[in-house]
Amino acid sequence: MDKPIMKIQHWQKVATVLAVYDVFTVALSYFLALWLRFDCQFSHIDEQYLHKYYQIIIPYTLFVLAVYYFLGLYRSIWRFASFYELKKLVIATAITFISNVVVVIAFIYRMPISYFVFGIAFQFFFAVSIRFSYRFILLLRENRENHGTENNVLLIGAGSAGRMILRDVNFVNGGANGNTKVVAIIDDNPNKWGRYIDGVEVIGGRDKILFAVEKYEIKEIYIAIANITPSDKRNLINICKETNCRIKQLPNMYAEKAGIISAGNLQNITIEDVLGRDPISLHQEDVAAQIKGKVVLVTGGGGSIGSELCRQIAKYEPKQLIIFDVYENNAYDIQLELKRRYPELDLVTLIGSVRDARRINSVFETYRPNICYHAAAHKHVPLMEDSPCEAIKNNAVGTYKTAYAAMKYGCDRFVLISTDKAVNPTNVMGATKRICEMIIQTFDNMVRNNQEDKLPVLITHQLDIDMEDADKVAAGSGHTEYVAVRFGNVLGSNGSVVPLFKKQIAEGGPVTLTHRDIIRYFMTIPEAVSLVLKAGANASGGEIFVLDMGEPVKILDLARNMIELAGLRPDIDIEIKEIGLRPGEKLYEEKLMSEEGLKETENHLIHVAEPIKFDSDMFINNLRALMALAYSNEGPEVVQKIRETVPTFRG
């Protein structure tokens, strides 16, 4: 059988040509050195020197080829030649120069010093010129092809991060499309103004941004500052938004010392960058003391709030963290993330519903959590308007069953995640969350007054009876502290308007608003969760904590900001369309009910609402009736009963 013919690869052909070139140029280099030494006259060259040159040059040339080979100079892709190849050439030149001087002077003949100096200089010049000329020619050709169609970039930041971005864009990759070029730099340090980085001028501070965009026909702006405060970033973004340029930024995760900053690291500006407040400086020693060494349960642990709770709890070294969620995909995602980030964490991931009394009791009985953060809830306002029975089953009854299990199995603290929609609710979702707050207040009141036995064990598989008395909690046996934490919308959470707007913009519009005057309070997810943990750590039982949500934001402004951040123009490229308020939606959310007072805490971002008084016995009876109607799927009757249960419900 014939052996297959080995095909010579293209790089091998290139390597052969380079080797032949090196043979010729090495020999030429040292001949030129002698020629220069004797006034550029061949006839003046001493015959003894010429004879020794002929004797030396062949073995020396072979030695040079061997050094080049072992240093990989015949295997590089020269169209991407960089400092790495230059460094290898310098090393090869040094090795061959030293070896040549030592061997020739010690064993052959004392040649003129200029022979070695000029010879190695010519050798290095010829080696570098052929290897880097290919890339230089390619750059010239690309510049001619891209002339007039360059994507000019304005770089903000003349520090180490900015320098790395500049070199990556202008000299390494040429941007994603091959025609991107940084043409000007902005930096607020006056000492850098008028100076150059790799041939690009630092033209001034942020007041020159609009001028630079017009003068240099800028298409994109890169914010390349590794350490920048949210307020400074917002100011820069607001200036850049006055242009029609696409804005990109360096993610916060990249510090200058990382050494891996490139144009590929840049990402689009997010709405969180525009609306996010300065980082909250919290002394979390009390949170760490409360969580460290404790068993912590997070219901709804796979959701946007629940998963962030798990992330922040994990860093405080709990004895065990239990993720409980009905949706296995979300639970699985956060489980993988936490296992990767905290390999020593004792993590348990359980699937189940808070509506299932037997399941939730089993979890508390088996793991005996010290702290429970209850984030499981249905929260989509329009969907709950159409399915009020499900809102009662999951939000109200699910909270009651979880709170009862916490009391029965000795949980020290139960923290309910509530919402500003519970204040004077105009929708079913908000009303059910107000019922959840009332459940917390009821449990706290009963535990404080040693009346735990008055709390019924609500079950759904037999609606007409309670569980046996043996399953009830005896009077005076509970010690759980119950608190609720109320806050508004969180940017990017499940159900938030932000993901909806992103999707609509990506599809070319229109962006739909329910009302042009509608306003909402916004907070980032990590910020909200850090305050939840802080409030929970400082609770003494029975409080409804209200988080400071900052200034309200008009949803119309939010939509315009998001369209502009996508590099488009509101009402021109993307239509903003008003579709009318949805069922149960109101123009603005209130953080407090008018009947509630507001007390300051040690932290100015956390307040305590004075709870509204209500008849606990009547509330429990109403809750029983609500559960019965919900599991009978009596929608209209459920809504009417909600009105009776929550006097402030205006739906």
Side-chain angles (χ1 to χ4, degrees):
M1 188 175 184
D2 294 336
K3 292 183 179 180
I5 299 174
M6 295 293 292
K7 184 179 180 181
I8 299 176
Q9 300 295 322
H10 176 72
W11 72 267
Q12 293 172 318
K13 296 177 182 177
V14 172
T16 302
V17 171
L18 272 179
V20 172
Y21 171 85
D22 288 335
V23 168
F24 173 76
T25 55
V26 169
L28 178 63
S29 297
Y30 285 89
F31 175 80
L32 289 175
L34 278 177
W35 184 64
L36 285 174
R37 169 65 179 77
F38 290 96
D39 304 324
C40 302
Q41 295 289 329
F42 179 76
S43 60
H44 291 177
I45 300 176
D46 188 286
E47 287 187 7
Q48 186 66 20
Y49 288 148
L50 195 59
H51 174 72
K52 293 300 179 184
Y53 163 76
Y54 292 140
Q55 181 182 347
I56 295 166
I57 198 61
I58 293 177
Y60 175 72
T61 301
L62 295 176
F63 174 69
V64 171
L65 293 182
V67 172
Y68 284 3
Y69 175 81
F70 284 111
L71 287 177
L73 290 174
Y74 293 120
R75 299 181 69 90
S76 294
I77 301 176
W78 291 104
R79 69 178 301 162
F80 302 126
S82 65
F83 178 76
Y84 176 81
E85 281 75 21
L86 182 62
K87 182 177 71 172
K88 291 291 186 182
L89 274 172
V90 170
I91 294 172
T93 301
I95 292 173
T96 55
F97 174 70
I98 294 171
S99 301
N100 193 24
V101 171
V102 171
V103 172
V104 171
I105 292 178
F107 299 105
I108 301 177
Y109 194 74
R110 187 175 182 83
M111 300 290 284
I113 297 298
S114 59
Y115 168 81
F116 298 106
V117 174
F118 286 119
I120 201 66
F122 280 124
Q123 176 186 318
F124 181 74
F125 169 76
F126 287 130
V128 169
S129 60
I130 188 62
R131 285 164 170 82
F132 284 84
S133 60
Y134 181 48
R135 182 178 178 190
F136 181 70
I137 292 169
L138 284 178
L139 287 175
L140 288 178
R141 188 175 68 185
E142 289 174 0
N143 286 337
R144 285 197 302 270
E145 291 174 354
N146 296 328
H147 183 69
T149 61
E150 285 187 344
N151 185 32
N152 290 343
V153 171
L154 176 66
L155 183 67
I156 299 179
S160 298
R163 176 179 54 81
M164 283 187 267
I165 294 293
L166 170 62
R167 291 182 177 176
D168 185 60
V169 171
N170 282 10
F171 302 109
V172 179
N173 294 319
N177 298 319
N179 63 342
T180 299
K181 183 179 181 181
V182 176
V183 295
I185 305 173
I186 293 290
D187 197 283
D188 286 335
N189 184 355
N191 187 49
K192 298 178 180 179
W193 297 351
R195 301 168 72 181
Y196 291 80
I197 300 177
D198 291 333
V200 181
E201 184 182 4
V202 181
I203 62 173
R206 66 184 65 189
D207 58 312
K208 294 286 188 180
I209 291 176
L210 300 181
F211 163 78
V213 168
E214 182 176 354
K215 178 180 178 181
Y216 296 99
E217 299 180 353
I218 300 296
K219 299 294 190 299
E220 291 188 306
I221 299 175
Y222 293 171
I223 301 176
I225 306 175
N227 298 300
I228 184 171
T229 64
S231 57
D232 272 347
K233 184 186 288 186
R234 277 200 310 276
N235 292 336
L236 277 175
I237 292 171
N238 286 332
I239 296 172
C240 296
K241 279 170 52 189
E242 296 182 31
T243 72
N244 291 324
C245 299
R246 190 175 186 86
I247 311 168
K248 292 188 175 183
Q249 65 172 334
L250 193 69
N252 293 333
M253 64 180 288
Y254 289 97
E256 293 187 20
K257 61 184 180 182
I260 55 173
I261 299 174
S262 68
N265 300 142
L266 295 171
Q267 63 183 20
N268 293 329
I269 297 293
T270 65
I271 195 63
E272 287 86 348
D273 296 316
V274 177
L275 298 181
R277 297 182 287 183
D278 288 341
I280 295 175
S281 179
L282 293 176
H283 297 291
Q284 297 284 43
E285 294 85 356
D286 47 355
V287 177
Q290 183 197 41
I291 292 175
K292 187 172 183 178
K294 302 292 179 62
V295 179
V296 183
L297 168 66
V298 180
T299 69
S304 49
I305 298 297
S307 60
E308 181 62 25
L309 274 167
C310 293
R311 291 185 191 96
Q312 295 196 23
I313 289 168
K315 68 183 180 183
Y316 293 118
E317 302 177 4
K319 178 181 178 181
Q320 188 177 56
L321 175 59
I322 305 164
I323 301 171
F324 186 79
D325 202 292
V326 72
Y327 184 47
E328 72 274 15
N329 290 349
N330 285 348
Y332 181 67
D333 288 342
I334 187 63
Q335 178 192 44
L336 289 182
E337 178 184 337
L338 293 180
K339 282 186 174 181
R340 183 179 67 253
R341 293 176 59 184
Y342 304 97
E344 302 301 320
L345 175 66
D346 184 356
L347 182 64
V348 177
T349 305
L350 303 174
I351 303 302
S353 171
V354 293
R355 295 158 58 161
D356 185 342
R358 291 170 175 171
R359 177 59 170 155
I360 201 70
N361 273 274
S362 172
V363 170
F364 274 88
E365 182 179 17
T366 303
Y367 296 97
R368 302 283 173 162
N370 304 108
I371 307 167
C372 175
Y373 291 94
H374 183 56
H378 286 327
K379 60 183 181 180
H380 288 263
V381 170
L383 295 181
M384 293 306 100
E385 289 299 298
D386 295 332
S387 304
C389 295
E390 298 308 306
I392 289 294
K393 293 174 190 176
N394 197 72
N395 294 1
V397 178
T399 297
Y400 187 97
K401 291 177 177 179
T402 309
Y404 196 96
M407 178 181 66
K408 180 178 180 180
Y409 293 102
C411 185
D412 298 322
R413 182 160 296 177
F414 184 96
V415 182
L416 168 72
I417 308 301
S418 190
T419 171
D420 55 3
K421 291 179 174 61
V423 183
N424 296 322
T426 58
N427 53 67
V428 168
M429 194 284 286
T432 59
K433 294 299 283 186
R434 174 57 191 151
I435 292 173
C436 293
E437 293 180 353
M438 296 169 76
I439 290 170
I440 295 307
Q441 291 176 264
T442 300
F443 270 85
D444 181 74
N445 179 58
M446 294 299 186
V447 170
R448 285 177 180 275
N449 293 294
N450 297 324
Q451 296 177 334
E452 296 90 336
D453 58 326
K454 291 187 177 181
L455 290 166
V457 182
L458 300 184
I459 58 175
T460 53
H461 51 281
Q462 290 175 294
L463 289 174
D464 55 333
I465 62 170
D466 288 341
M467 288 183 180
E468 296 179 3
D469 290 339
D471 291 328
K472 281 186 140 186
V473 175
S477 63
H479 67 270
T480 308
E481 294 177 343
Y482 293 89
V483 299
V485 183
R486 182 192 293 161
F487 55 87
N489 301 276
V490 286
L491 290 167
S493 68
N494 298 331
S496 165
V497 72
V498 172
L500 173 63
F501 284 176
K502 284 182 179 178
K503 182 178 179 182
Q504 291 176 335
I505 292 169
E507 293 174 349
V511 170
T512 55
L513 294 179
T514 55
H515 196 286
R516 287 184 173 265
D517 295 326
I518 197 168
I519 64 171
R520 290 290 182 266
Y521 293 93
F522 282 98
M523 183 181 281
T524 64
I525 294 176
E527 180 183 19
V529 167
S530 65
L531 287 173
V532 166
L533 293 175
K534 183 72 172 177
N538 295 336
S540 58
E543 302 100 332
I544 296 177
F545 288 97
V546 181
L547 305 187
D548 184 352
M549 299 296 294
E551 296 299 319
V553 176
K554 287 188 71 173
I555 300 300
L556 176 60
D557 294 338
L558 177 70
R560 288 184 175 277
N561 274 321
M562 292 186 66
I563 293 170
E564 289 170 353
L565 291 177
L568 302 169
R569 294 166 296 176
D571 297 317
I572 299 176
D573 299 320
I574 298 289
E575 178 190 1
I576 298 178
K577 184 177 181 181
E578 188 173 357
I579 60 174
L581 290 173
R582 298 174 298 183
E585 191 173 32
K586 49 186 175 180
L587 286 178
Y588 63 95
E589 304 292 354
E590 303 156 272
K591 288 184 284 187
L592 287 174
M593 292 179 238
S594 58
E595 299 94 334
E596 290 176 318
L598 195 66
K599 292 192 301 184
E600 295 288 336
T601 67
E602 293 181 0
N603 191 303
H604 69 282
L605 296 172
I606 303 174
H607 310 277
V608 180
E610 287 289 343
I612 299 173
K613 303 296 182 182
F614 59 90
D615 188 314
S616 296
D617 293 332
M618 181 181 296
F619 170 70
I620 290 172
N621 290 332
N622 284 335
L623 188 59
R624 283 174 175 271
L626 272 172
M627 186 180 72
L629 290 170
Y631 277 90
S632 298
N633 292 308
E634 303 289 345
E637 290 81 358
V638 162
V639 175
Q640 180 56 40
K641 195 63 182 179
I642 291 175
R643 292 192 183 96
E644 296 175 16
T645 308
V646 182
T648 55
F649 179 36
R650 301 187 303 229

